[in-house]
Amino acid sequence: MPKKISSKNVAYEGQIIRVEATNTADGRIFEKASRSPGTRIIIYDEINDQILLSQEYRPELGETDYRLPGGKVRDKIRDWDEIKDRPDVLSLIGQACMKEAREEVGMEVENIELFTNFGSGGPTIGWDLYYFVATKFKALGKQQLETEEDIKAMWVSSAQAAVICLSGQMREGRSVAALSQFLYQKGKIQIRKS
């Protein structure tokens, strides 16, 4: 860990990602990439004990993956810069989450609550994911997908969701952790004490 930062410069800035290079007091260069945070939503049907997941083709995997609906808070890093320090930023993140639910799975969600926030888990990448829960919702009848998106919404039981998480069928690790925690808190995943 650097003792003292003597200067900080943007080494690269694209539409989505910015890389800042920092010169440390001992002469090393430390780089950190950052992007607008993302949102994910756990849409939970309490009456039928079901969770709405999506099956989405992911180019980075070359195959379909189970996902929680979600996306970026802002599409461009500079647009995120404009709102990140506002006192109502959490509300704006929630609005982005609600927009993604409408677009990706065709659901109008109400009364969402922040469940958890996972950072990127390391010092070199800044990319938080905010997880919300919705228990009030209504189907809009159709998705509003972008041209490159291939997403199918599907209801699964809590038991099926647990299997999907714990068997490796959902590959986004932070979403596996968040959904597993949600299921555990609802008593749908049991931990056996040895």
Side-chain angles (χ1 to χ4, degrees):
M1 181 168 171
K3 294 177 188 169
K4 211 175 186 182
I5 295 172
S6 56
S7 68
K8 190 182 216 180
N9 299 300
V10 174
Y12 168 80
E13 185 173 287
Q15 295 291 312
I16 299 172
I17 295 174
R18 175 182 300 127
V19 178
E20 293 177 345
T22 304
N23 296 316
T24 63
D26 62 1
R28 293 179 296 133
I29 295 175
F30 181 80
E31 293 179 336
K32 179 173 182 171
S34 57
R35 62 158 276 185
S36 174
T39 65
R40 302 291 183 265
I41 189 162
I42 300 168
I43 300 173
Y44 180 57
D45 177 349
E46 294 176 297
I47 295 169
N48 297 305
D49 190 29
Q50 294 182 325
I51 293 174
L52 187 63
L53 296 180
S54 63
Q55 284 188 306
E56 181 176 352
Y57 178 78
R58 301 299 301 180
E60 71 274 15
L61 299 174
E63 61 188 40
T64 300
D65 190 24
Y66 285 98
R67 308 286 276 198
L68 290 170
K72 293 185 284 297
V73 173
R74 292 292 186 265
D75 287 332
K76 297 179 181 174
I77 187 75
R78 288 195 177 191
D79 293 341
W80 169 243
D81 290 341
E82 291 176 10
I83 67 165
K84 69 182 180 185
D85 295 322
R86 287 177 45 171
D88 64 341
V89 69
L90 189 56
S91 174
L92 297 171
I93 293 169
Q95 289 171 24
C97 186
M98 294 167 75
K99 174 183 171 282
E100 290 293 336
R102 280 191 302 276
E103 292 175 358
E104 287 197 354
V105 291
M107 297 298 279
E108 189 72 44
V109 295
E110 302 174 21
N111 303 332
I112 64 171
E113 291 184 28
L114 180 64
F115 178 67
T116 191
N117 172 24
F118 282 107
S120 59
T124 59
I125 304 288
W127 179 42
D128 287 355
L129 282 178
Y130 289 83
Y131 290 84
F132 290 85
V133 173
T135 56
K136 286 187 157 193
F137 49 84
K138 68 177 179 179
L140 296 174
K142 70 176 207 171
Q143 299 162 286
Q144 303 164 11
L145 299 176
E146 295 176 19
T147 54
E148 69 277 0
E149 290 182 314
D150 181 5
I151 302 171
K152 293 177 186 148
M154 60 187 300
W155 287 101
V156 299
S157 69
S158 289
Q160 289 171 303
V163 169
I164 287 167
C165 283
L166 301 174
S167 67
Q169 295 177 66
M170 180 181 282
R171 303 260 193 75
E172 188 173 59
R174 292 184 282 177
S175 291
V176 169
L179 185 52
S180 294
Q181 286 176 7
F182 176 80
L183 293 168
Y184 175 74
Q185 288 180 11
K186 291 289 184 188
K188 307 302 176 181
I189 293 178
Q190 303 295 319
I191 298 175
R192 190 178 348 166
K193 296 179 182 177
S194 37

